[in-house]
Amino acid sequence: MKLKLYKATPPQVRAKHITDTIKPYITMLVWGRQTGKTFFMTMDMVERALSYKRGDVIMWVSPIMQQSTKVFLSIEMMFADHPDVWDAIIKRYDRKNNFIEFYNGVVIKFQSADQGDNLRGGTVKFTYVDECAYIDYNIIEQILMPMHVRTGGRFIWGTTFNGKNWAYKRFQEGQKSKNKDFIVSNMATYHDLGDHEVTEFCEMVRKNMTRSNFEQEYLCKPIAAGAIFTNIADCQKSKFPDPDSYEQIFVGMDIGVNSDYAVLTAINEKYEVICPQSRFNMKDDGLSAEEYKQRIVDFYRELDVDWIKKIKR
């Protein structure tokens, strides 16, 4: 029986080349949302199950069981309109224990990382790790990798970034040719699909997300771990706005005395910072209480719009 499972997109063609031609131990796919990462991994898994031999075990691992079960159920739905094909290739579809047994004797097991040590044991020929960046790397290294020792098994990892955690570092390793036997990484976003409808949908989503979240989820740009403020570079300007370009001034005062600094900031009605911040500390700057208060008063008085225009001219 000859099956055509899907028509591959450009990123999927590249991924197939990596896993089947280069054949690294780990194929790492960092693909943004709507790029077809999980779909590709699912199709590759079914294709692999049909080509493997009796006794081979394939495993799918997601961060939580709900995600893994979703993939398990999607395989049945894929053949919903082709029951004859389903009956010809599937011997057992166990909804209770989440595994599929094919007539050729290959088994696919669907597991989750939150099972922890309960995953231990057994041998696996190929493992798919979905959203690996959201899984503790110890689970992969200490539990999943040893399952490949006797089979010469391999991985496909698929994920978006989760900040600059271990997955980001592994991705960088996979970009270096010297590591190609161990890991090869590939990045793709919806732009690589060349699909107008997908692009239109993602651009609609962009308007309703924060820039940083959209860039991480859809454009594969990781948010730095621990970052509180993002897009700082976008806020930086080489010069302050011309005083003639605004009419209102708002002064913000973050008051610190001994253990912290006082920081005074002035912005206009366009939220633009209009002059250098004033930053001082009573102890470090050797200020008396009166001098400290005067620094605040002077900053405020110097921001009289007419006065600023006068000195600029």
Side-chain angles (χ1 to χ4, degrees), residues 256-262 279-288 291-292 295:
V257 183
N258 289 317
S259 61
D260 199 0
Y261 278 75
R279 183 174 181 272
F280 49 93
N281 177 273
M282 179 181 284
K283 182 178 180 180
D284 291 351
D285 294 319
L287 302 175
S288 66
E291 290 173 327
Y292 179 88
R295 289 283 291 267

Side-chain angles (χ1 to χ4, degrees), residues 160-172:
T160 52
F161 283 128
N162 180 19
K164 292 186 177 181
N165 67 353
W166 68 264
Y168 178 75
K169 295 174 183 177
R170 283 298 191 193
F171 173 81
Q172 292 180 309

Side-chain angles (χ1 to χ4, degrees), residues 157-184:
W157 295 351
T159 193
T160 52
F161 283 128
N162 180 19
K164 292 186 177 181
N165 67 353
W166 68 264
Y168 178 75
K169 295 174 183 177
R170 283 298 191 193
F171 173 81
Q172 292 180 309
E173 292 173 7
Q175 294 289 287
K176 300 174 182 177
S177 58
K178 67 178 183 179
N179 298 324
K180 66 182 178 64
D181 290 337
F182 179 68
I183 183 169
V184 175

